[in-house]
Amino acid sequence: MATPCSASHKLLQMGTKIVAVGRNYAAHAKEMGTVVPTEPVLFFKPTSSYLENGGTIEVPHSLESLHPEVELAVVIGRKARDVPEADAMDYVGGYAVALDMTAREIQASAKAAGLPWTLSKGQDTFTPISSVLPTSMVPDPDNLELWLKVDGETRQKGSTKDTIFKIPFLISHISSMMTLLEGDVILTGTPPGVGPVKVGQKITAGITGLLDVHFNVEKRRRPESC
């Protein structure tokens, strides 16, 4: 079995896509003023948005803050297409904790105009992620405590048992429409408690008893002019 370090390298270098699930915790949907979904709300993030543990999250020039959303990341272990829900867990290669960084102002404007959310979710450094835990270390992914702190203050704490759509269903549902490849990641949604983080603050997050990550938040540097 791959070590967390080599699995993390595979994740960052070989994965082709990040499929994120929106509003998969009813309490988060309610705090955002949206309806609780009756089927998964899916969107994409590019793999170029990954940021390894200890890195610096970059706030775009035009913004003052971002919203971090802590999530359980499911890492696909082998090619998956039209996977029956009963067999779905056989396609899981490991788990990680990830942050879905969101430029809320951009997202709100896009939603109001009926446009995609890509620019609010997919910019460089907008998917900070941990090393990958092998499945043997996570016997019950439906009962994990996720947490996130900003400057040591708890912002989010919730359990994966509260997700609306569970991992087997998500893998089956997504793979019925698009092939999932080794190293692809499903972000399974965030619990309530989201709020802004600003330049100069520090984020820590983790899965209780398993791992934690930390990131600085800084302004993105403007390219030097010639």
Side-chain angles (χ1 to χ4, degrees):
M1 182 174 290
T3 65
C5 183
S6 65
S8 179
H9 181 76
K10 180 185 293 185
L11 166 68
L12 296 175
Q13 300 297 326
M14 293 182 61
T16 65
K17 56 187 170 293
I18 305 165
V19 184
V21 184
R23 294 182 278 167
N24 199 24
Y25 289 74
H28 173 59
K30 291 176 181 177
E31 76 175 348
M32 298 303 295
T34 57
V35 298
V36 176
T38 56
E39 63 180 46
V41 177
L42 305 177
F43 60 93
F44 283 110
K45 292 167 68 82
T47 57
S48 57
S49 67
Y50 282 137
L51 178 68
E52 294 186 64
N53 185 21
T56 298
I57 297 166
E58 298 179 347
V59 179
H61 308 139
S62 60
L63 302 177
E64 296 301 320
S65 66
L66 298 172
H67 284 214
E69 301 179 359
V70 65
E71 310 207 10
L72 177 66
V74 177
V75 185
I76 298 300
R78 59 190 175 102
K79 184 178 178 179
R81 185 170 189 257
D82 290 328
V83 175
E85 189 172 343
D87 299 332
M89 297 305 286
D90 295 338
Y91 292 80
V92 176
Y95 301 92
V97 66
L99 306 182
D100 175 19
M101 301 303 299
T102 305
R104 198 66 75 193
E105 298 97 327
I106 297 175
Q107 184 186 42
S109 296
K111 285 183 175 181
L115 298 174
W117 308 345
T118 305
L119 292 181
S120 70
K121 296 279 193 176
Q123 298 193 40
D124 289 351
T125 77
F126 273 28
T127 313
I129 194 163
S130 72
S131 58
V132 178
L133 295 170
T135 55
S136 60
M137 292 183 64
V138 190
D140 187 3
D142 284 332
N143 190 27
L144 299 175
E145 183 180 71
L146 305 176
W147 57 270
L148 181 142
K149 297 180 180 182
V150 177
D151 289 342
E153 177 185 354
T154 299
R155 293 280 189 87
Q156 290 183 276
K157 182 178 284 188
S159 175
T160 55
K161 68 178 173 24
D162 294 326
T163 53
I164 300 169
F165 305 107
K166 304 303 180 184
I167 294 169
F169 177 81
L170 290 173
I171 292 174
S172 179
H173 178 71
I174 295 168
S175 72
S176 73
M177 297 176 287
M178 65 191 80
T179 300
L180 294 168
L181 301 176
E182 181 180 9
D184 285 355
V185 164
I186 300 172
L187 298 183
T188 58
T190 194
V194 299
V197 62
K198 297 181 179 181
V199 170
Q201 294 189 300
K202 298 182 183 297
I203 299 173
T204 53
I207 304 172
T208 300
L210 290 176
L211 55 73
D212 57 74
V213 291
H214 61 94
F215 303 94
N216 296 323
V217 182
E218 300 294 343
K219 201 76 166 180
R220 182 169 183 170
R221 294 182 180 181
R222 294 185 181 275
E224 296 181 4
S225 57
C226 298

Coordinates of all heavy atoms in Angstrom, one line a residue, residues 77-136:
G77 N -9.4 5.4 -6.4 CA -8.2 4.6 -6.5 C -8.1 3.9 -7.8 O -7.0 3.4 -8.2
R78 N -9.1 3.8 -8.6 CA -9.1 3.2 -9.9 C -10.2 3.7 -10.8 O -11.2 4.3 -10.3 CB -9.1 1.7 -9.8 CG -10.3 1.0 -9.2 CD -10.1 -0.4 -8.9 NE -11.1 -1.1 -8.2 CZ -12.1 -1.8 -8.7 NH1 -12.1 -2.0 -10.0 NH2 -13.0 -2.4 -7.9
K79 N -10.1 3.4 -12.1 CA -11.1 3.9 -13.0 C -12.5 3.5 -12.6 O -12.7 2.3 -12.4 CB -10.7 3.4 -14.4 CG -11.6 3.9 -15.5 CD -11.2 3.4 -16.9 CE -12.1 3.9 -18.0 NZ -11.6 3.4 -19.3
A80 N -13.4 4.4 -12.6 CA -14.8 4.1 -12.2 C -15.8 4.7 -13.2 O -15.8 5.9 -13.5 CB -15.0 4.7 -10.8
R81 N -16.5 3.8 -13.8 CA -17.6 4.2 -14.7 C -18.8 3.3 -14.5 O -18.7 2.1 -14.5 CB -17.1 4.1 -16.2 CG -18.1 4.6 -17.2 CD -17.5 4.7 -18.6 NE -18.4 5.4 -19.6 CZ -19.1 4.8 -20.5 NH1 -19.1 3.5 -20.6 NH2 -19.9 5.5 -21.3
D82 N -20.0 4.0 -14.4 CA -21.2 3.3 -14.1 C -21.1 2.3 -13.0 O -21.4 1.1 -13.1 CB -21.7 2.5 -15.4 CG -22.1 3.5 -16.5 OD1 -22.7 4.5 -16.1 OD2 -22.0 3.2 -17.7
V83 N -20.6 2.8 -11.9 CA -20.4 1.9 -10.7 C -21.6 1.7 -9.9 O -22.3 2.7 -9.5 CB -19.3 2.5 -9.8 CG1 -19.1 1.7 -8.5 CG2 -18.0 2.7 -10.5
P84 N -22.0 0.5 -9.6 CA -23.2 0.3 -8.7 C -22.9 0.8 -7.3 O -21.8 0.7 -6.8 CB -23.4 -1.2 -8.7 CG -22.6 -1.7 -9.9 CD -21.5 -0.8 -10.1
E85 N -23.9 1.3 -6.7 CA -23.7 1.9 -5.3 C -23.2 0.8 -4.4 O -22.3 1.1 -3.5 CB -25.1 2.4 -4.8 CG -24.9 3.2 -3.6 CD -26.2 3.9 -3.2 OE1 -27.1 4.1 -4.1 OE2 -26.4 4.3 -2.0
A86 N -23.6 -0.4 -4.5 CA -23.2 -1.5 -3.6 C -21.7 -1.8 -3.8 O -21.1 -2.3 -2.8 CB -24.0 -2.8 -3.9
D87 N -21.1 -1.4 -4.9 CA -19.6 -1.7 -5.1 C -18.8 -0.5 -5.0 O -17.6 -0.5 -5.2 CB -19.4 -2.3 -6.5 CG -20.2 -3.6 -6.7 OD1 -20.4 -4.3 -5.7 OD2 -20.6 -3.9 -7.9
A88 N -19.4 0.7 -4.7 CA -18.7 2.0 -4.9 C -17.5 2.1 -4.0 O -16.4 2.7 -4.4 CB -19.7 3.1 -4.6
M89 N -17.5 1.6 -2.8 CA -16.4 1.8 -1.8 C -15.2 1.0 -2.3 O -14.0 1.3 -1.8 CB -16.8 1.3 -0.4 CG -17.9 2.2 0.2 SD -17.6 4.0 0.2 CE -16.4 4.1 1.5
D90 N -15.3 0.1 -3.2 CA -14.1 -0.7 -3.7 C -13.3 0.3 -4.6 O -12.1 -0.1 -5.0 CB -14.6 -1.9 -4.5 CG -15.3 -2.9 -3.7 OD1 -15.0 -2.9 -2.5 OD2 -16.1 -3.7 -4.3
Y91 N -13.8 1.4 -5.0 CA -13.1 2.3 -5.9 C -12.4 3.5 -5.1 O -11.8 4.3 -5.7 CB -14.1 2.9 -6.9 CG -14.5 1.8 -7.9 CD1 -15.6 1.0 -7.6 CD2 -14.0 1.7 -9.2 CE1 -16.0 0.0 -8.5 CE2 -14.4 0.8 -10.1 CZ -15.4 -0.1 -9.7 OH -15.8 -1.1 -10.6
V92 N -12.6 3.5 -3.8 CA -11.9 4.5 -3.0 C -10.5 4.1 -2.7 O -10.2 3.0 -2.2 CB -12.7 4.7 -1.7 CG1 -12.0 5.7 -0.8 CG2 -14.1 5.1 -1.9
G93 N -9.6 5.0 -3.0 CA -8.1 4.8 -2.8 C -7.6 5.4 -1.5 O -6.6 5.0 -1.0
G94 N -8.4 6.3 -1.0 CA -7.9 7.0 0.3 C -8.8 8.2 0.5 O -9.7 8.5 -0.2
Y95 N -8.4 8.9 1.6 CA -9.1 10.1 2.0 C -8.2 11.2 2.4 O -7.0 11.0 2.8 CB -10.0 9.8 3.3 CG -11.0 8.7 3.0 CD1 -10.7 7.3 3.3 CD2 -12.3 9.0 2.5 CE1 -11.6 6.3 3.1 CE2 -13.2 7.9 2.3 CZ -12.8 6.6 2.6 OH -13.8 5.6 2.3
A96 N -8.6 12.4 2.4 CA -7.8 13.6 2.8 C -8.8 14.6 3.3 O -10.0 14.5 3.2 CB -7.1 14.2 1.6
V97 N -8.2 15.6 4.0 CA -9.0 16.8 4.4 C -8.6 17.9 3.4 O -7.4 18.1 3.1 CB -8.8 17.2 5.9 CG1 -7.4 17.7 6.1 CG2 -9.8 18.3 6.3
A98 N -9.6 18.6 2.9 CA -9.4 19.7 2.0 C -10.2 20.9 2.3 O -11.2 20.9 3.1 CB -9.7 19.3 0.6
L99 N -9.7 22.1 1.8 CA -10.5 23.3 2.0 C -11.0 23.8 0.6 O -10.2 23.8 -0.3 CB -9.6 24.4 2.6 CG -8.9 24.1 3.9 CD1 -8.1 25.4 4.4 CD2 -9.9 23.6 5.0
D100 N -12.2 24.0 0.5 CA -12.8 24.6 -0.7 C -12.8 26.1 -0.5 O -13.8 26.7 0.1 CB -14.2 24.0 -1.0 CG -14.9 24.7 -2.1 OD1 -14.2 25.3 -3.0 OD2 -16.1 24.6 -2.2
M101 N -11.8 26.8 -0.9 CA -11.7 28.3 -0.7 C -12.7 28.9 -1.7 O -12.7 28.6 -2.9 CB -10.3 28.8 -1.0 CG -9.2 28.2 -0.1 SD -9.6 28.4 1.7 CE -9.6 30.2 1.8
T102 N -13.4 29.9 -1.2 CA -14.5 30.5 -2.0 C -14.4 32.0 -2.0 O -14.4 32.6 -0.9 CB -15.9 30.0 -1.5 OG1 -16.0 28.6 -1.5 CG2 -17.0 30.6 -2.4
A103 N -14.4 32.6 -3.1 CA -14.5 34.0 -3.3 C -15.9 34.4 -3.3 O -16.6 34.4 -4.3 CB -13.7 34.5 -4.5
R104 N -16.5 34.7 -2.1 CA -17.9 34.8 -2.0 C -18.5 35.9 -2.8 O -19.6 35.7 -3.4 CB -18.3 35.0 -0.5 CG -19.7 34.6 -0.2 CD -20.1 33.2 -0.3 NE -19.5 32.3 0.7 CZ -19.4 31.0 0.7 NH1 -19.8 30.4 -0.4 NH2 -18.9 30.3 1.7
E105 N -17.8 37.0 -2.9 CA -18.4 38.1 -3.7 C -18.5 37.7 -5.2 O -19.5 38.0 -5.9 CB -17.5 39.4 -3.6 CG -17.4 39.9 -2.2 CD -16.1 39.4 -1.5 OE1 -15.7 38.3 -1.8 OE2 -15.5 40.2 -0.7
I106 N -17.5 37.0 -5.7 CA -17.5 36.6 -7.1 C -18.6 35.6 -7.3 O -19.4 35.6 -8.3 CB -16.1 36.0 -7.5 CG1 -15.1 37.1 -7.5 CG2 -16.2 35.4 -8.9 CD1 -13.7 36.6 -7.8
Q107 N -18.8 34.6 -6.3 CA -19.8 33.6 -6.4 C -21.2 34.2 -6.4 O -22.1 33.9 -7.2 CB -19.7 32.6 -5.3 CG -20.7 31.5 -5.3 CD -20.6 30.6 -4.1 OE1 -20.5 31.1 -3.0 NE2 -20.7 29.3 -4.3
A108 N -21.4 35.2 -5.5 CA -22.7 35.9 -5.5 C -23.1 36.6 -6.8 O -24.2 36.5 -7.2 CB -22.7 36.8 -4.3
S109 N -22.1 37.3 -7.3 CA -22.3 38.0 -8.6 C -22.6 37.0 -9.7 O -23.5 37.2 -10.5 CB -21.1 38.8 -9.0 OG -20.9 39.8 -8.0
A110 N -21.9 35.8 -9.7 CA -22.1 34.8 -10.8 C -23.5 34.2 -10.6 O -24.2 34.0 -11.6 CB -21.1 33.8 -10.7
K111 N -23.9 33.9 -9.4 CA -25.2 33.3 -9.2 C -26.3 34.3 -9.6 O -27.3 33.9 -10.3 CB -25.4 33.0 -7.7 CG -24.7 31.7 -7.2 CD -25.0 31.4 -5.8 CE -24.3 30.1 -5.3 NZ -24.7 29.9 -3.9
A112 N -26.2 35.6 -9.3 CA -27.2 36.6 -9.6 C -27.3 36.7 -11.1 O -28.4 37.0 -11.6 CB -26.8 37.9 -9.0
A113 N -26.2 36.5 -11.8 CA -26.3 36.6 -13.3 C -26.5 35.3 -14.0 O -26.6 35.3 -15.2 CB -24.9 37.2 -13.8
G114 N -26.7 34.3 -13.2 CA -27.0 32.9 -13.8 C -25.7 32.3 -14.5 O -25.9 31.5 -15.4
L115 N -24.6 32.7 -14.0 CA -23.3 32.3 -14.6 C -22.6 31.2 -13.7 O -23.0 31.1 -12.5 CB -22.4 33.5 -14.8 CG -22.8 34.6 -15.7 CD1 -21.9 35.8 -15.6 CD2 -23.0 34.1 -17.1
P116 N -21.7 30.4 -14.3 CA -21.0 29.4 -13.5 C -20.2 30.0 -12.4 O -19.8 31.2 -12.4 CB -20.1 28.7 -14.5 CG -20.7 29.0 -15.8 CD -21.3 30.4 -15.7
W117 N -19.8 29.2 -11.4 CA -19.0 29.6 -10.2 C -17.5 29.5 -10.4 O -16.8 29.7 -9.4 CB -19.4 28.8 -9.0 CG -20.8 28.7 -8.7 CD1 -21.9 29.4 -9.2 CD2 -21.4 27.7 -7.8 NE1 -23.1 29.0 -8.6 CE2 -22.8 27.9 -7.8 CE3 -20.9 26.7 -7.0 CZ2 -23.7 27.2 -7.0 CZ3 -21.8 26.0 -6.2 CH2 -23.2 26.2 -6.2
T118 N -17.0 29.1 -11.5 CA -15.7 28.7 -11.7 C -14.7 29.7 -11.1 O -13.7 29.3 -10.4 CB -15.3 28.5 -13.2 OG1 -16.3 27.6 -13.7 CG2 -13.9 27.9 -13.4
L119 N -14.8 31.0 -11.4 CA -13.8 31.9 -10.9 C -13.8 32.1 -9.4 O -12.8 32.5 -8.8 CB -14.1 33.3 -11.6 CG -13.8 33.4 -13.1 CD1 -14.1 34.8 -13.6 CD2 -12.4 32.9 -13.4
S120 N -14.9 31.8 -8.8 CA -15.0 31.9 -7.3 C -14.4 30.7 -6.6 O -14.2 30.8 -5.4 CB -16.5 32.1 -6.9 OG -17.2 30.9 -7.0
K121 N -14.2 29.6 -7.3 CA -13.8 28.3 -6.6 C -12.5 27.8 -7.2 O -11.9 26.9 -6.5 CB -14.9 27.3 -6.9 CG -16.2 27.6 -6.2 CD -16.3 27.2 -4.8 CE -17.7 27.2 -4.2 NZ -17.7 26.8 -2.8
G122 N -12.1 28.2 -8.4 CA -11.0 27.4 -9.0 C -9.7 28.1 -9.2 O -8.8 27.6 -10.0
Q123 N -9.5 29.2 -8.6 CA -8.2 30.0 -8.8 C -7.1 29.3 -8.1 O -7.3 28.4 -7.2 CB -8.4 31.4 -8.2 CG -9.4 32.2 -9.0 CD -9.4 33.7 -8.7 OE1 -8.3 34.3 -8.6 NE2 -10.6 34.3 -8.6
D124 N -5.9 29.6 -8.4 CA -4.7 29.0 -7.8 C -4.7 29.1 -6.3 O -5.2 30.2 -5.8 CB -3.4 29.7 -8.3 CG -3.1 29.4 -9.8 OD1 -3.7 28.6 -10.4 OD2 -2.2 30.1 -10.3
T125 N -4.4 28.1 -5.6 CA -4.3 27.9 -4.2 C -5.7 27.7 -3.5 O -5.8 27.7 -2.3 CB -3.5 29.0 -3.4 OG1 -4.3 30.2 -3.4 CG2 -2.2 29.3 -4.1
F126 N -6.7 27.6 -4.3 CA -8.1 27.6 -3.8 C -8.5 26.2 -3.3 O -9.7 26.0 -2.9 CB -9.1 28.1 -4.8 CG -9.3 29.6 -4.7 CD1 -8.3 30.4 -4.3 CD2 -10.5 30.2 -5.1 CE1 -8.4 31.8 -4.2 CE2 -10.7 31.6 -5.1 CZ -9.6 32.4 -4.6
T127 N -7.7 25.1 -3.4 CA -8.0 23.8 -2.9 C -6.8 23.3 -2.0 O -6.1 22.4 -2.4 CB -8.3 22.8 -4.0 OG1 -9.3 23.4 -4.9 CG2 -8.9 21.5 -3.4
P128 N -6.6 23.9 -0.9 CA -5.6 23.4 0.0 C -5.9 22.0 0.4 O -7.1 21.7 0.7 CB -5.6 24.3 1.2 CG -6.2 25.6 0.7 CD -7.2 25.1 -0.4
I129 N -5.0 21.1 0.5 CA -5.3 19.7 0.8 C -4.2 19.0 1.5 O -3.0 19.3 1.4 CB -5.6 18.9 -0.6 CG1 -6.3 17.6 -0.3 CG2 -4.3 18.8 -1.4 CD1 -6.9 17.0 -1.6
S130 N -4.6 18.0 2.3 CA -3.6 17.2 3.1 C -3.0 16.1 2.3 O -3.3 15.9 1.2 CB -4.3 16.6 4.4 OG -5.2 15.6 4.0
S131 N -2.1 15.3 3.0 CA -1.6 14.1 2.5 C -2.8 13.1 2.5 O -3.9 13.4 3.1 CB -0.5 13.5 3.3 OG -0.9 13.3 4.6
V132 N -2.7 12.0 1.8 CA -3.8 11.0 1.6 C -3.7 9.9 2.6 O -2.6 9.3 2.8 CB -3.8 10.4 0.2 CG1 -4.9 9.4 0.0 CG2 -3.9 11.5 -0.8
L133 N -4.7 9.7 3.3 CA -4.8 8.6 4.3 C -5.3 7.3 3.6 O -6.3 7.4 2.8 CB -5.8 8.9 5.4 CG -5.5 10.1 6.3 CD1 -6.7 10.4 7.2 CD2 -4.3 9.7 7.2
P134 N -4.6 6.2 3.8 CA -5.1 4.9 3.2 C -6.5 4.5 3.8 O -6.8 4.9 4.9 CB -4.0 3.9 3.5 CG -3.3 4.5 4.7 CD -3.4 6.0 4.6
T135 N -7.2 3.8 3.1 CA -8.6 3.4 3.5 C -8.5 2.6 4.9 O -9.4 2.7 5.7 CB -9.3 2.6 2.5 OG1 -8.5 1.4 2.1 CG2 -9.6 3.4 1.2
S136 N -7.4 1.9 5.1 CA -7.3 1.1 6.3 C -7.2 2.0 7.6 O -7.5 1.5 8.7 CB -6.0 0.3 6.2 OG -4.8 1.1 6.1

